[in-house]
Amino acid sequence: MMAIEIIAHRGASAVCPENTMAAFERCLQLGATGIETDVQMSSDGRLVLIHDETLNRTAGAPGWVKDTTYEQLRSLDAGSWFHSDYAQEGIPSLEELFDLIQGKKILLNLELKNGIVGYKGMEEKIVQAVRDWDLEQQVILSSFNHASLVKCKRLAPEIRTALLYMEKLYRPYDYAAKLEASALHPYKLAVTQEEVAAAQAQGISTHPFTVNDPAEMQALIQMGVEAIITDVPDVLSALVGVHSR
């Protein structure tokens, strides 16, 4: 069985509060070879890791990420909603995650959450941060906002991009090639073996999300996907025989 990238969705989000340093650290212990996380911007322009555009679900506060300063975001409790053991977990900065993976052979999938909120200057900030930390070869930028990914590619041709999508697309590999994307990040049910092979023929890899069922993982591996995005990296690690490092 070919080795595939095990990308932990929001970190080890099945056993830790998503998008926290605890989740990122834990997924590495569980055999993840990559981390997927969501990037947004504070009102004062700092890059922070949180999925929802609003704070109520995971940070127990009213309001929007975009309207909240970095210091205010740092003061919020991003762990208690999951379990009281995680009450000390905050909303991480992008730099904290960079610090964790620096020097490790870990793929970092940064999803730009700019489909609902159009964060001005976000692409420039992410590209600059990736370059400042010399992580161009380890980072892949994904988004449902494909215009944003084209902008990223123009700013930084050396950084890989990946197109996120939910529904079936017509010849997604041709579309990805046109946008100079390195990968397709389809919803797991939008993947076919023929499309995986056609993408590979154009040098484009397929990384479906969010796959937690071993039978689904197995089926996708047999289709030839190069990576799987999962909440349970330990399950996928056991399946592909990658031992925890």
Side-chain angles (χ1 to χ4, degrees), residues 39-108:
V39 186
Q40 298 194 57
M41 268 166 65
S42 64
S43 63
D44 46 354
R46 290 290 299 272
L47 297 169
V48 292
L49 309 181
I50 182 171
H51 177 271
D52 297 6
E53 289 81 5
T54 53
L55 295 163
N56 55 314
R57 180 176 68 88
T58 60
W64 292 65
V65 176
K66 69 178 177 67
D67 297 328
T68 311
T69 67
Y70 179 67
E71 282 309 313
Q72 288 170 322
L73 290 171
R74 300 292 286 169
S75 71
L76 299 175
D77 166 3
S80 286
W81 68 274
F82 187 87
H83 193 280
S84 57
D85 288 353
Y86 294 101
Q88 301 309 307
E89 291 296 320
I91 297 170
S93 66
L94 181 59
E95 293 78 14
E96 282 175 280
L97 181 53
F98 282 174
D99 191 49
L100 174 68
I101 70 151
Q102 200 173 35
K104 299 183 175 82
K105 287 195 169 89
I106 295 294
L107 178 70
L108 187 54

Side-chain angles (χ1 to χ4, degrees), residues 168-181:
K168 297 285 294 173
L169 297 181
Y170 175 67
R171 298 173 72 94
Y173 37 88
D174 288 342
Y175 177 54
K178 185 177 180 184
L179 272 49
E180 296 177 37

Side-chain angles (χ1 to χ4, degrees), residues 124-236:
E124 288 86 352
K125 280 191 176 174
I126 289 184
V127 162
Q128 190 60 55
V130 171
R131 285 175 168 166
D132 287 348
W133 285 74
D134 295 323
L135 291 170
E136 295 95 331
Q137 299 311 305
Q138 277 174 257
V139 165
I140 186 160
L141 303 175
S142 68
S143 186
F144 285 100
N145 180 343
H146 299 170
S148 177
L149 294 178
V150 170
K151 185 176 180 185
C152 288
K153 202 70 193 172
R154 285 179 183 153
L155 291 166
E158 77 278 16
I159 300 175
R160 288 171 288 172
T161 57
L163 309 177
L164 274 163
Y165 59 100
M166 290 295 296
E167 284 83 17
K168 297 285 294 173
L169 297 181
Y170 175 67
R171 298 173 72 94
Y173 37 88
D174 288 342
Y175 177 54
K178 185 177 180 184
L179 272 49
E180 296 177 37
S182 302
L184 296 165
H185 284 197
Y187 178 57
K188 63 185 181 182
L189 300 180
V191 183
T192 68
Q193 188 157 2
E194 295 71 26
E195 286 172 353
V196 171
Q200 279 170 348
Q202 297 205 39
I204 294 158
S205 53
T206 304
H207 311 156
F209 72 93
T210 301
V211 191
N212 297 331
D213 177 77
E216 289 183 339
M217 291 172 177
Q218 190 72 48
L220 288 162
I221 290 165
Q222 282 173 332
M223 284 185 202
V225 302
E226 289 82 356
I228 290 176
I229 301 167
T230 179
D231 298 328
V232 285
D234 49 325
V235 174
L236 180 55

